[in-house]
Amino acid sequence: MKTPHVTLDQWRSLIAVVDEGSFVRAADVLHRSQSSVSYAIARLQEQLGIALFVTEGRRARLTDAGESLARRARELVNDALRLEDFAHALEQGWEAEIRLVVDVAFPTGLLMEALRRFAPQSRGTRVQLREEVLSGVEEALTAGEADLAICHNVPDAFLGDPLLDIEFVAVTHPEHPLQKLGRSLDTDDLRSQIQVVIRDSGSRHQIDRGWLGAAQRWTVTGIDTAVVAVSHGLGFAWLPRHRIEAQLADDRLRALPLRQGGSYVSPVYLVQGCAAQVGPATALLTRILHEVVTDPHHGTTDDPRNRS
């Protein structure tokens, strides 16, 4: 591993001279003598083999090479300061990483808004986002693979706070044979048609959600694929209303006129992986997620609270 020849203090001296416009004022800002600042810059130029300044009267002007290096030096010093802040945050108990596991049915727009608000307050904590379907989130919790989870069911030995209700609607393409019947439908009408189902990503105790009485089922791995499949007339499915608002509005998808069960509401919960040992970053993200879902001023097309 190569060792840098130039010290961070030398780069800091360069930035001070650039910002202050002279060696004298840079020395004042750095609380050092002018001779020590001049020596640091002279030594820097000698080590790099490049002239960084030209003297014009009492002012020092950067050369083209000096400008390029000063920009990179500023990034380097700022990175060093951020590294020190991150180390201080870790010393105070801030987590280096949060493992966030989210059910795919949760509105992506709300999730991204929460992460956007979290980022400037995160003190360098990384977020590892993982999306699962149904029991896949619960398995991540019970396996100790999630610090924070958004799921439909709270596993035994965990506590969860209600976060949001998600409505699922039975839909097809407008030209689907079920829509051509021109009357209210029951389960007998559905049995002969293809049902598009989203596969549970769990491996131990998979959950079936919604009616599954069709003789033919096509199983996909994600909501987006299910939306595309149904939009192409390949079958019917219960899909989250917030994901298909646009398609319903312009009649690319149409709700099935079922006598009962045409829609259902599924609550989602926010669960901490180990509530007894929650760090400040996880606690902050928990609070922000609650704030985002209750914020009447925030809305996205992916937001189930936005209903016409």
Side-chain angles (χ1 to χ4, degrees):
M1 180 178 177
K2 294 181 65 175
T3 302
H5 297 295
V6 178
T7 67
L8 197 62
D9 182 67
Q10 286 174 288
W11 292 122
R12 185 165 170 258
S13 297
L14 170 63
I15 294 168
V17 174
V18 171
D19 290 345
E20 300 304 320
S22 75
F23 288 84
V24 174
R25 287 198 291 270
D28 289 339
V29 168
L30 296 172
H31 305 292
R32 293 164 55 181
S33 67
Q34 179 184 344
S35 60
S36 67
V37 174
S38 298
Y39 175 79
I41 298 301
R43 180 66 178 146
L44 177 60
Q45 294 183 118
E46 179 184 335
Q47 289 169 309
L48 298 174
I50 297 173
L52 302 176
F53 293 98
V54 291
T55 303
E56 296 179 345
R58 295 187 176 182
R59 295 185 62 84
R61 180 179 65 79
L62 279 171
T63 62
D64 290 342
E67 281 191 22
S68 297
L69 285 169
R71 283 195 299 272
R72 297 289 295 274
R74 195 180 301 279
E75 295 173 8
L76 177 64
V77 172
N78 287 338
D79 283 344
L81 292 173
R82 284 191 288 268
L83 182 59
E84 289 181 8
D85 289 342
F86 181 53
H88 182 59
L90 292 176
E91 187 271 332
Q92 291 182 317
W94 281 73
E95 304 92 306
E97 180 179 83
I98 297 174
R99 297 168 300 169
L100 175 62
V101 183
V102 181
D103 190 282
V104 294
F106 186 75
T108 305
L110 292 179
L111 179 61
M112 292 303 109
E113 173 62 15
L115 294 176
R116 185 191 69 79
R117 296 186 189 185
F118 174 75
Q121 305 177 61
S122 66
R123 299 193 182 186
T125 298
R126 301 187 305 272
V127 175
Q128 182 186 119
L129 176 61
R130 173 175 153 192
E131 292 184 300
E132 297 284 351
V133 180
L134 295 172
S135 71
V137 185
E138 298 170 47
E139 287 187 8
L141 278 167
T142 56
E145 298 171 356
D147 302 305
L148 194 60
I150 297 175
C151 52
H152 289 282
N153 298 290
V154 181
D156 294 340
F158 288 85
L159 297 175
D161 293 322
L163 193 60
L164 195 68
D165 287 336
I166 298 177
E167 182 185 7
F168 289 78
V169 185
V171 294
T172 67
H173 187 277
E175 299 300 318
H176 191 278
L178 289 171
Q179 300 288 358
K180 300 295 187 179
L181 295 177
R183 57 173 171 78
S184 297
L185 308 176
D186 57 29
T187 54
D188 287 338
D189 296 310
L190 302 180
R191 293 184 198 282
S192 62
Q193 302 296 326
I194 295 173
Q195 181 177 0
V196 178
V197 179
I198 301 166
R199 177 183 290 117
D200 186 336
S201 63
S203 59
R204 292 194 293 271
H205 304 291
Q206 292 189 331
I207 300 171
D208 290 332
R209 187 172 294 275
W211 184 81
L212 296 171
Q216 299 183 73
R217 289 202 297 272
W218 288 13
T219 303
V220 298
T221 57
I223 290 176
D224 290 340
T225 304
V227 172
V228 173
V230 177
S231 296
H232 280 74
L234 298 181
F236 68 91
W238 274 263
L239 299 172
R241 181 182 288 275
H242 66 85
R243 288 285 186 96
I244 56 173
E245 285 283 89
Q247 291 92 330
L248 289 171
D250 60 18
D251 204 36
R252 282 177 288 155
L253 289 177
R254 190 177 295 174
L256 283 173
L258 287 166
R259 290 195 180 98
Q260 64 180 56
S263 68
Y264 65 89
V265 172
S266 177
V268 291
Y269 300 87
L270 186 58
V271 183
Q272 292 172 337
C274 185
Q277 299 178 8
V278 171
T282 301
L284 173 62
L285 185 53
T286 298
R287 176 173 59 80
I288 290 174
L289 279 162
H290 278 293
E291 289 175 353
V292 166
V293 299
T294 57
D295 183 357
H297 301 295
H298 174 71
T300 71
T301 55
D302 190 29
D303 186 340
R305 300 164 307 169
N306 296 339
R307 298 286 177 263
S308 56

